[in-house]
Amino acid sequence: MIVLKSSAELEAMHLANRVVHQALAKVREAAGPGVTTAELDQLAEEVIRDAGAVPAFKGYRGFPATLCTSVNDEIVHGIPSSRVRLAEGDLLSVDCGVVLDGFFGDAAVSFGIGDVNGVVERLVDVTRQCLDDAVAQVGPGRRLGDIGAAVQRRAEGSGFGVVREFVGHGIGRELHEEPQVPNYGQPGRGQVMRPGLVLAIEPMITAGSWRVKVDDDGWTARTEDGKLAAHFEFSVAVTPDGHRVLGLEE
Ligand code: MG
Ligand code: MG
């Protein structure tokens, strides 16, 4: 069942996502060579709790941390650890979720650590462009296939792969609501978007094959071929005249 949100509920979701973006900004500021992903996780939890919110991922199906921190060939769901020390040239993807006043916020960013090679730079740029292209498709009367098709066109047109195994999702009083939002598809197909629908749109793009394997920890998803992966995510509301990216300052 798809749950449409009122404008008051969208405002509450904007505030939840604002905390997510504040935490991600602090994490990005602090991330650098020699920093561990556990340190970033602790920092994010402090920002979230100081804002009166609660980390959404911690305890979700047993996930042990506030952030998902995925390094290099890890795509999503990497577990922060004091044993994972970032190094110059790494590609880090950080996913963060919070609950504030009963509503979830969910967003992710990828960036390079220190000086990075051209592949890292290009993969991060293209994945971010995939997100922007996807967001541009969001509006009343548009269809979910328009979103996936836009991501796929940008990624594959740039010679990169689109992960199939994980998809975006509706979001609201639950972290994962209907509908699923694949990063591939055909324009003009799939469900029609209506005002009040909120989608967490999250392209996961690889520098090689889109095939995925999951580590023995049951969480960390990485590329099967060991090539790099990047991930960006925004929670986006369908409004009567288009869309609004929740949590960004206007
Ligand atoms: Mg997320
Ligand atoms: Mg998500």
Side-chain angles (χ1 to χ4, degrees):
M1 187 186 71
I2 289 180
V3 184
L4 300 177
K5 283 80 183 178
S6 69
S7 52
E9 289 170 330
L10 291 185
E11 201 48 40
M13 293 192 68
H14 169 65
L15 296 177
N17 278 284
R18 195 163 69 175
V19 176
V20 173
H21 284 280
Q22 284 165 349
L24 288 173
K26 287 282 185 200
V27 164
R28 186 170 187 160
E29 234 173 75
V35 174
T36 69
T37 52
E39 289 165 336
L40 298 178
D41 191 68
Q42 194 186 342
L43 173 63
E45 180 162 3
E46 281 165 18
V47 173
I48 291 165
R49 295 202 188 275
D50 284 351
V54 176
F57 299 166
K58 210 170 196 174
Y60 181 83
R61 296 186 183 169
F63 190 79
T66 293
L67 299 176
C68 298
T69 51
S70 307
V71 183
N72 294 332
D73 65 319
E74 297 170 359
I75 306 164
V76 287
H77 305 159
I79 300 173
S81 166
S82 55
R83 295 189 307 275
V84 178
R85 201 171 285 281
L86 297 170
E88 185 95 15
D90 279 346
L91 193 176
L92 176 64
S93 298
V94 184
D95 194 347
C96 181
V98 312
V99 196
L100 180 68
D101 295 332
F103 284 96
F104 283 82
D106 190 7
V109 292
S110 293
F111 51 89
I113 301 299
D115 278 335
V116 295
N117 68 30
V119 182
V120 171
E121 205 166 335
R122 192 153 166 280
L123 181 60
V124 168
D125 284 352
V126 168
T127 307
R128 177 55 213 248
Q129 282 167 6
C130 285
L131 178 59
D132 289 345
D133 288 358
V135 170
Q137 299 298 323
V138 177
R142 308 301 303 273
R143 289 174 181 267
L144 290 181
D146 299 339
I147 294 174
V151 172
Q152 194 172 13
R153 192 181 315 121
R154 170 74 66 178
E156 293 178 357
S158 306
F160 293 140
V162 174
V163 170
R164 268 49 167 188
E165 204 159 320
F166 301 99
V167 296
H169 49 94
I171 181 168
R173 287 190 184 276
E174 304 289 340
L175 178 57
H176 296 120
E177 296 185 354
E178 287 184 41
Q180 294 199 341
V181 185
N183 294 301
Y184 54 90
Q186 292 183 317
R189 303 288 287 271
Q191 269 165 325
V192 175
M193 298 177 228
R194 310 216 179 274
L197 176 65
V198 184
L199 302 174
I201 300 175
E202 46 182 319
M204 289 152 261
I205 307 300
T206 66
S209 158
W210 52 267
R211 294 195 180 276
V212 169
K213 61 183 179 189
V214 176
D215 286 0
D216 290 341
D217 63 18
W219 285 104
T220 311
R222 61 178 77 236
T223 57
E224 204 176 80
D225 61 10
K227 298 215 171 146
L228 294 167
H231 176 216
F232 279 88
E233 178 178 26
F234 281 157
S235 295
V236 185
V238 181
T239 61
D241 51 4
H243 60 260
R244 179 185 184 195
V245 177
L246 300 177
L248 297 188
E249 299 306 331
E250 285 159 19

